[in-house]
Amino acid sequence: MAPPPVVTGISPKEGPPGTRVTIRGEFLGASATDLIGLKICGCDCLLSAEWKSKNKIVARSGPCKGRGDIIVTTRSGGEGTSTVQFRGYHESIGPVKESAVWVEEAAPPSVPWGRRPMSPTAYTPPDPLGLSTEGDDCKFPEEELNELFPDGSGKLSDDNFQPGWYLLEHHSNTSFEDLRAGMVFLQRKVESQKEGQLSFLKANTGAVMDQLDRLVLLKNMFEEDQRKNGKEPLPSLQAAIEESITLADSLFSEILSRKENADKTREALSLLTRHKFLFQLPASIDKNIRKKEYDLVVNDYTRVKNLFGNTDVKLFQKILAEIDKKIEDLKEKLHTRMKTMPINVQEQTKYIRLLVSLNWEGDAAWTAITSRKDYLLGLLDKVKDHFKQKEDQENADKGKRKSKAEAEGAGAGGWSGTRAAWCGAACAALASELAALWPLARRYCAGDLAGAPNAPGRHADLKEMIIKAVSLFAEHMRACLMGGSGGAAPGAVDARLVANLRHLREAYDSLLKLDLPSQPLSIVEQVIFEYRVHGMSVFLARALRRVKALPEHEDWKIEEFSDYGAITCLPRLLDTYLSEALSSTHKCVVWGGRREGALLAPGGAPAAALQRHVQHALLAYAAALRGLALTHSDDTDFSNTSLSVALDQRLEEAQPAEGARSWQQRLLIAGANAQYTRRIGLPRIADMFDSYEFPKPTQALQAAREALSSLETTIAETYLEHKGDPLVGTIEPSMYMGRHKIDSDALVDDARPYVYEIINNLIAVHAEVDSVCGPASSRYVRDICETVCEELARLAACAPAPARAAAFRARLEYTLLRLACADHLTRKAENYLVEALAGLPPLTTDEEKKHMDKLVAGFKKRMDLQLASLNCNMETV
């Protein structure tokens, strides 16, 4: 509903009836048909109104008198208001004033002396007082005169003449002395008329005598005519005329009949010549239709309807009926061609104009728009069906040559050549058809297409059409491009993703040029964004699959000796896989096109997906290392055997092939890989994200560090379980092996053999760990030393109070073990040894102390090589 009209200005502001008034204001109607009422001072002026725009109307005032409002009424806004007024007044008609009314030409009845003026229209009653009348600016207001004299008049010739009205109207500003002089003039004038007509005759005696002579002459001539022709001359004259007519008819009857026939023939030929256009129009219509010159047909048809549309001549009606039948056939033909797709917009617009010109029943423009919309939807479905059928055929052909799994891997997903072609064809179809549909729809809404109704509901329908077409396109593209990663090679995936994105962005750019509403544009923009996110997920998912397949690539060959031990190919492959995924993501999908948002905006879902995928890949790497480290088939039990003997026995029983690794070595290598990745690999991955300007995966890196750290602990515990437990298990049996007893006063000269066995076992473990872990081997040796010290403390606590010689020997053994493992003892291990020594009586004499120092020095000299092997310089990691 539009606002009510408001009149804010008029020009001119006053005038007589018929004045051309320009009315200005706001909301004066959306069109000429919207204006349904116009009143000026209460008079209806709609018939003369000319609607110019919603702010201007031109009309002619009616027979109004006085001031009044200008009221405009519209169909859309109702009755309006006026802030200005128009004053109407009536003018007296003079000889030089144009007028559309009849001026009475009869002389006024009360003219002095009874004389007629020379020109009736030039008559102006003189002032009876003999004074000059005042100008219009001195006149008394007419409205007040009407109120003072409701039934009177100021005209001298009217029956209801009021002298007071006349004086106020013509002499309102005349002085009293002048009015008195005028009164004297009027009295003198009346006295002069009392003499009557006698004075008039005296002054005009010659003219009166002349008129009497003329009257006598006329009387004599009339009497002479009666004597000659009688009193009734008309019957004889009528008889003579009738006789002459009868004679003429008898003489010229044959000539007149031939003339009548000739006139009829001439009239028929003249009719054929004059209306040659009508009689030849049916053949002309057929000829122009064959030549596809439809504009000529429309022009001729419009012309003949204007000339003969209301004719009563049956011949003309028959020809018009034949023409109407041909026009109806032409309408159907044009309607069919307008709906038949494909067709360009110019030709379709031409057919719309022709149908409107031919008064086709229905909305031709709307029919054309719906036909083009249906064609677009059908074209998208047809493209989809065509490429789906082609893809199924390709998969069937591949299935004949390969296994079913290989065929599905090669043809599935959005990276096949068929689906890339599908994407390009669908984008081209959408861009081309919307480039035709949307301008046609805009012209329809703007009313540029002749005959298009300005219905508000059509705008919503047109918008819904565009949204439906774009939504169908988006649905097809999601099914085409986001169906899976497929089995294509990495290079093919990158190339086809870039090609598909180019097709989508070209289609999007074409829609931007059409100035479509934001809703359909956002649908296509969302598809592009989702495909970019899908491409990033595909790259990262491919990296995840390759990381999960790392155990298949592990050959346990040492590629590098780092500060953390022997490193195989796994850390390098992890870097390679993630680098390729991030590089492909950066190259293909990170940078957006026109009006596209940032893919990895902070806090967005794609950035979270990137973090999640990277975390999955890193955790999968940790899981792969865990599987490689903890999976083994070595079930040999060496729980009651010396570890060094067990190692020699294993080497003798099973000689591995070149490059083969024992399970313990694989366990240590896996630990070295985990530690190297945690310390070196993860910071390198973080730098990789910074180089591509990606958000750093802090949470993923932290989870990976925790997983790798946990794996390192698990590997250390597992190694301790399989190496330390057998070593610790041999201590107690070896300690009491041989039932060594010593007298309380005997001199101890050496430690028991179990001490040397422990040292040899630790050397064997150290050698194995050092061969794999290098400087990082200290952790494993420390753990085993701590376990050994704990076992010695336990045995010391469980043993009864020893004799003096036995206590000296126990102190010597603990001292030698402490000396041998000095570089590997933790604080906890030191505490265990201190606890074991605390249960022994101290050395009281200098002789015992010197003897102890001698034995320790001899041990150092004798075991120098072993001690050097066990306590070689190692960095604590």
Side-chain angles (χ1 to χ4, degrees):
M1 188 69 180
V6 178
V7 177
T8 57
I10 58 172
S11 178
K13 295 184 178 181
E14 61 181 5
T19 301
R20 183 179 175 87
V21 181
T22 301
I23 302 169
R24 300 186 182 275
E26 298 178 350
F27 314 114
L28 302 181
S31 62
T33 57
D34 194 25
L35 182 64
I36 59 174
L38 176 62
K39 290 185 177 181
I40 301 177
C41 297
C43 297
D44 190 358
C45 303
L46 180 62
L47 187 62
S48 63
E50 298 180 18
W51 184 88
K52 300 296 185 180
S53 68
K54 63 180 180 181
N55 302 110
K56 179 180 178 181
I57 297 175
V58 177
R60 293 196 177 270
S61 62
C64 58
K65 192 172 184 180
R67 294 187 177 274
D69 293 334
I70 293 89
I71 305 300
V72 178
T73 305
T74 62
R75 184 178 285 104
S76 59
E79 186 173 317
T81 58
S82 175
T83 60
V84 294
Q85 289 186 328
F86 180 81
R87 187 178 77 87
Y89 57 86
H90 291 180
E91 291 183 335
S92 58
I93 304 303
V96 295
K97 181 70 175 179
E98 296 182 1
S99 176
V101 299
W102 182 263
V103 180
E104 181 63 43
E105 294 185 358
S110 57
V111 180
W113 315 112
R115 297 178 181 175
R116 290 178 61 92
M118 293 299 292
S119 174
T121 59
Y123 171 70
T124 301
D127 184 30
L129 299 179
L131 303 175
S132 62
T133 58
E134 301 172 355
D136 292 342
D137 55 344
C138 299
K139 286 185 177 180
F140 203 77
E142 188 174 356
E143 292 81 357
E144 296 184 12
L145 292 175
N146 287 325
E147 293 177 1
L148 292 174
F149 307 99
D151 299 327
S153 173
K155 294 182 179 181
L156 297 173
S157 59
D158 291 347
D159 295 335
N160 55 350
F161 172 73
Q162 292 288 340
W165 182 320
Y166 183 86
L167 291 176
L168 288 173
E169 183 177 9
H170 297 284
H171 299 286
S172 59
N173 294 329
T174 305
S175 63
F176 180 73
E177 294 299 330
D178 291 341
L179 290 176
R180 288 184 61 183
M183 184 65 182
V184 173
F185 173 77
L186 181 61
Q187 288 176 350
R188 194 167 53 248
K189 196 173 183 179
V190 171
E191 289 296 332
S192 64
Q193 290 181 357
K194 290 181 179 179
E195 296 178 7
Q197 296 182 356
L198 181 61
S199 61
F200 176 77
L201 293 174
K202 289 180 179 180
N204 300 281
T205 301
V208 173
M209 296 302 295
D210 190 18
Q211 291 172 5
L212 289 176
D213 293 339
R214 293 288 181 184
L215 290 174
V216 172
L217 180 60
L218 288 174
K219 179 177 179 297
N220 294 332
M221 291 176 65
F222 180 73
E223 291 175 350
E224 180 66 22
D225 184 77
Q226 282 185 347
R227 284 195 300 270
K228 290 182 178 178
N229 300 315
K231 293 182 179 182
E232 297 294 337
L234 293 179
S236 59
L237 180 60
Q238 180 180 2
I241 292 173
E242 289 178 353
E243 182 179 359
S244 63
I245 291 174
T246 302
L247 181 59
D249 288 342
S250 63
L251 292 175
F252 298 102
S253 58
E254 183 178 356
I255 297 174
L256 292 176
S257 63
R258 288 199 301 270
K259 181 179 180 299
E260 183 178 358
N261 293 334
D263 290 341
K264 290 181 179 179
T265 303
R266 191 179 298 106
E267 289 178 1
L269 293 175
S270 176
L271 179 64
L272 290 175
T273 303
R274 188 166 59 252
H275 302 297
K276 178 181 179 181
F277 166 71
L278 175 63
F279 294 112
Q280 293 182 349
L281 186 57
S284 177
I285 289 175
D286 292 337
K287 181 179 67 175
N288 291 330
I289 289 177
R290 286 194 299 270
K291 293 181 179 179
K292 296 183 179 181
E293 294 179 353
Y294 303 113
D295 290 335
L296 296 178
V297 176
V298 173
N299 292 336
D300 293 344
Y301 180 71
T302 304
R303 179 183 173 190
V304 78
K305 277 295 185 180
N306 291 334
L307 293 175
F308 305 100
N310 298 323
T311 184
D312 295 330
V313 180
K314 295 193 178 296
L315 178 61
F316 291 174
Q317 291 177 353
K318 182 178 179 181
I319 296 175
L320 289 176
E322 182 181 355
I323 293 173
D324 289 339
K325 184 176 182 304
K326 292 182 180 295
I327 294 299
E328 290 298 326
D329 295 340
L330 177 61
K331 289 180 184 179
E332 292 298 325
K333 184 177 181 180
L334 294 176
H335 180 253
T336 302
R337 289 190 178 181
M338 182 187 67
K339 292 172 55 178
T340 303
M341 296 292 166
I343 184 175
N344 59 55
V345 180
Q346 291 77 12
E347 191 172 358
Q348 197 174 33
T349 306
K350 175 183 176 181
Y351 291 151
I352 294 172
R353 178 176 54 79
L354 292 172
L355 287 172
V356 172
S357 300
L358 293 174
N359 298 322
W360 184 71
E361 295 181 0
D363 192 348
W366 184 253
T367 303
I369 291 172
T370 54
S371 301
R372 191 167 285 279
K373 182 264 297 184
D374 294 338
Y375 175 70
L376 173 56
L377 297 180
L379 182 60
L380 292 176
D381 289 334
K382 187 181 297 183
V383 169
K384 174 185 175 182
D385 295 340
H386 170 73
F387 285 102
K388 288 290 287 184
Q389 183 179 2
K390 184 177 180 181
E391 185 179 51
D392 294 341
Q393 183 63 36
E394 290 178 355
N395 291 339
D397 295 339
K398 291 177 182 179
K400 296 177 181 179
R401 300 187 299 268
K402 300 180 181 179
S403 65
K404 182 178 181 181
E406 291 175 346
E408 290 177 354
W415 313 112
S416 65
T418 301
R419 294 210 174 188
W422 176 6
C423 174
C427 291
L430 179 72
S432 61
E433 290 304 319
L434 276 185
L437 174 59
W438 181 244
L440 191 66
R442 292 186 63 181
R443 292 181 61 189
Y444 178 83
C445 292
D448 294 341
L449 298 178
N454 191 12
R458 297 294 197 195
H459 296 267
D461 294 340
L462 288 172
K463 185 177 180 181
E464 187 65 27
M465 283 184 185
I466 303 300
I467 293 175
K468 183 177 181 181
V470 175
S471 299
L472 180 62
F473 168 77
E475 178 184 348
H476 288 182
M477 288 301 96
R478 289 188 177 97
C480 170
L481 302 176
M482 305 177 196
S485 60
V493 171
D494 295 1
R496 285 172 183 164
L497 186 142
V498 172
N500 293 338
L501 272 178
R502 185 178 67 253
H503 291 316
L504 290 174
R505 284 168 175 161
E506 288 175 354
Y508 183 62
D509 289 340
S510 66
L511 300 188
L512 287 176
K513 293 177 182 178
L514 296 177
D515 195 17
L516 288 175
S518 59
Q519 189 170 356
L521 290 177
S522 63
I523 294 174
V524 180
E525 184 177 347
Q526 182 64 25
V527 171
I528 297 175
F529 186 78
E530 291 177 3
Y531 187 51
R532 292 167 63 196
V533 175
H534 176 70
M536 179 190 70
S537 301
V538 167
F539 296 140
L540 296 174
R542 182 177 66 195
L544 177 60
R545 290 194 305 271
R546 298 170 76 181
V547 169
K548 288 182 177 179
L550 281 177
E552 302 174 3
H553 301 281
E554 181 59 277
D555 54 4
W556 302 107
K557 292 182 179 179
I558 306 302
E559 290 191 353
E560 176 187 358
F561 273 97
S562 68
D563 295 338
Y564 308 100
I567 307 302
T568 62
C569 63
L570 297 189
R572 175 181 56 79
L573 291 178
L574 175 65
D575 285 350
T576 301
Y577 296 159
L578 289 180
S579 177
E580 290 180 358
L582 295 179
S583 176
S584 297
T585 302
H586 182 269
K587 179 177 67 176
C588 299
V589 298
V590 166
W591 301 110
R594 182 180 176 188
R595 290 180 59 176
E596 294 182 29
L599 180 67
L600 298 176
L610 175 64
Q611 304 277 343
R612 186 172 59 254
H613 282 293
V614 172
Q615 181 172 342
H616 290 168
L618 295 177
L619 294 180
Y621 173 77
L625 285 180
R626 182 179 293 273
L628 290 170
L630 302 181
T631 302
H632 66 94
S633 60
D634 192 355
D635 297 330
T636 307
D637 186 9
F638 300 101
S639 59
N640 297 319
T641 311
S642 174
L643 189 59
S644 59
V645 176
L647 290 174
D648 295 339
Q649 181 179 349
R650 176 171 296 174
L651 291 174
E652 293 175 358
E653 291 177 354
Q655 291 294 334
E658 183 179 358
R661 303 284 179 182
S662 65
W663 174 73
Q664 287 83 1
Q665 290 177 328
R666 296 198 301 271
L667 184 68
L668 294 174
I669 292 173
N673 284 335
Q675 191 174 11
Y676 177 82
T677 304
R678 180 170 62 86
R679 296 293 184 89
I680 303 299
L682 295 183
R684 188 184 300 163
I685 292 173
D687 294 339
M688 194 185 305
F689 273 79
D690 291 337
S691 66
Y692 289 118
E693 298 181 355
F694 289 172
K696 185 175 294 186
T698 306
Q699 184 177 356
L701 294 175
Q702 182 61 31
R705 288 191 188 95
E706 294 174 357
L708 292 173
S709 180
S710 175
L711 176 60
E712 293 173 32
T713 303
T714 302
I715 290 175
E717 293 174 352
T718 303
Y719 188 79
L720 177 61
E721 178 183 353
H722 287 78
K723 290 292 187 181
D725 290 353
L727 189 150
V728 172
T730 61
I731 293 177
E732 186 175 3
S734 299
M735 182 181 291
Y736 298 106
M737 187 178 295
R739 306 292 181 181
H740 293 285
K741 291 185 179 181
I742 186 170
D743 295 333
S744 58
D745 297 330
L747 183 63
V748 178
D749 58 355
D750 198 1
R752 284 175 286 183
Y754 84 92
V755 175
Y756 296 97
E757 183 180 4
I758 291 174
I759 294 174
N760 290 331
N761 287 339
L762 291 176
I763 292 174
V765 170
H766 179 270
E768 182 182 40
V769 175
D770 186 65
S771 66
V772 175
C773 298
S777 62
S778 177
R779 173 178 183 175
Y780 301 96
V781 180
R782 272 200 318 264
D783 292 343
I784 295 177
C785 287
E786 185 177 314
T787 306
V788 169
C789 293
E790 182 181 5
E791 179 66 13
L792 292 175
R794 185 187 68 80
L795 293 175
C798 296
R804 190 170 187 80
F808 182 86
R809 184 178 64 185
R811 181 177 291 278
L812 174 63
E813 291 170 352
Y814 295 155
T815 302
L816 295 179
L817 285 174
R818 186 175 184 180
L819 176 63
C821 302
D823 290 344
H824 304 288
L825 293 180
T826 63
R827 180 174 297 180
K828 192 174 182 181
E830 288 276 1
N831 293 336
Y832 285 138
L833 291 178
V834 171
E835 182 182 347
L837 291 172
L840 299 175
L843 299 176
T844 58
T845 64
D846 292 339
E847 184 179 356
E848 289 179 345
K849 293 179 180 178
K850 291 180 180 180
H851 186 61
M852 178 67 70
D853 292 339
K854 179 181 179 182
L855 293 177
V856 171
F859 175 81
K860 287 182 179 180
K861 184 176 180 180
R862 188 173 59 254
M863 298 290 291
D864 182 62
L865 180 60
Q866 288 84 344
L867 293 178
S869 300
L870 184 60
N871 296 311
C872 61
N873 294 328
M874 293 181 296
E875 296 180 4
T876 302
V877 181

